[in-house]
Amino acid sequence: ERVPVTMGVMVEVGAARSCGAAWCALLCAAYVGSLYAWPAARELPRDNPASIKRRFVSVTAVSAASLALFGLVWCVDDPHSPYTFWQLSGLAPNSLLLGTVVALALNAVLYLGPLALLAWPCYGEEGESDPPMPLLRQLKGAACDLREWRNLVVGPVSEEIVFRSCMTTALAASGYSFAASCFIAPMIFGLAHLHHLFMRWRIVSFSVAAVSTVIQMSYTTMFGAYTAFLFIRTGNLWATIVAHAFCNFMGLPPIDEALQHRHSVVMTCLFVLGLALFFVLMFPLTDPAWLGSIVYAQYFVK
């Protein structure tokens, strides 16, 4: 079997898949390498403002270069595709608003328990807690914090462009199955966080840094698989960026807080209910035919 791959050239499936895997490895190396391109980024702590600003420049450059190369290598002069670079990259989806709303709805379902904790934060034996900071004040504080810009804007945008738009689409174009296209890039995405081990090792013991990094890599791999799933099923890069920012804002589900809550049984049930509903709704809500996913139609509809 032969498939159209770079610039519409027909190649054997095995060779095409090798090209796709090599392409992903190249982009991953470029992205992670850009984080250490600056001497300050290698020497200063991750949250140092000078380090963050330099990394903003690096990942922005890598994201722009990745998109340009993706368009040149995978989307130019392909007679087998009726779609444009903007459509295949997810930048110009058929259902921009609907796909984004679907992504937010799925995230809200998945984080049903944590969202309930935010709305009903009392815990402990007396059921007391400090009053939550007003949302507007939180947003104002985040707007002046470079770490929040990294976590909620620059990180989600750059990572989704490189790892979803440029990698996942290339894997699909290389002849990989839907499941493989969802999981290969996220595995690389998870490995891309291995460098955090060395950053943490500067301030804590190696064993603590290793455990923390393994947990983060596992979480990011699972999260990457979810956003790759969203990207293919919706064909909407903006939906995955919003989902990524949402998950970064919420962080890991605070199960310990749910167990300490005055109504711990209710909170625990909401955590479980949210997870169950997420798996029940993830396929119906992301129906590619309903959302008009161009990525899915191009590579997975025979």
Side-chain angles (χ1 to χ4, degrees), residues 255-296:
I255 299 174
D256 57 331
E257 289 187 26
L259 296 176
Q260 295 172 26
H261 198 279
R262 181 175 56 172
H263 301 287
S264 59
V265 174
V266 174
M267 286 299 169
T268 302
C269 288
L270 288 176
F271 270 69
V272 175
L273 178 62
L275 185 63
L277 285 175
F278 172 78
F279 285 110
V280 169
L281 296 174
M282 63 185 296
F283 279 94
L285 281 183
T286 60
D287 184 351
W290 177 46
L291 296 173
S293 173
I294 292 168
V295 177
Y296 191 90

Side-chain angles (χ1 to χ4, degrees), residues 34-204:
S34 75
L35 299 176
Y36 296 94
W38 307 91
R42 296 192 295 270
E43 298 167 1
L44 296 174
R46 178 172 181 261
D47 290 337
N48 183 279
S51 177
I52 293 176
K53 290 176 182 178
R54 285 166 173 78
R55 288 181 168 182
F56 281 1
V57 174
S58 297
V59 297
T60 299
V62 170
S63 300
S66 296
L67 271 178
L69 285 173
F70 172 75
L72 290 172
V73 174
W74 298 92
C75 300
V76 171
D77 298 329
D78 184 355
H80 304 277
S81 174
Y83 305 115
T84 67
F85 156 77
W86 302 102
Q87 294 173 310
L88 293 174
S89 64
L91 291 168
N94 278 337
S95 302
L96 174 60
L97 180 60
L98 181 59
T100 304
V101 169
V102 164
L104 279 174
L106 268 181
N107 276 22
V109 170
L110 179 61
Y111 279 88
L112 180 61
L115 287 172
L117 278 176
L118 287 177
W120 191 11
C122 60
Y123 53 84
E125 294 182 0
E126 302 299 325
E128 298 177 352
S129 68
D130 295 331
M133 184 184 297
L135 180 59
L136 288 178
R137 190 183 302 172
Q138 292 185 53
L139 294 176
K140 182 179 179 180
C144 302
D145 191 334
L146 284 175
R147 294 170 301 177
E148 297 301 333
W149 276 93
R150 176 191 63 202
N151 297 336
L152 303 180
V153 180
V154 179
V157 171
S158 63
E159 289 180 1
E160 291 307 312
I161 286 175
V162 175
F163 289 89
R164 241 59 67 194
S165 180
C166 298
M167 283 195 194
T168 301
T169 307
L171 288 169
S174 301
Y176 283 97
S177 66
F178 175 79
S181 297
C182 284
F183 279 98
I184 292 176
M187 289 174 64
I188 299 174
F189 181 66
L191 289 173
H193 290 74
L194 182 62
H195 65 98
H196 288 172
L197 169 64
F198 306 102
M199 299 170 63
R200 293 188 176 105
W201 195 8
R202 297 174 182 174
I203 54 178
V204 298

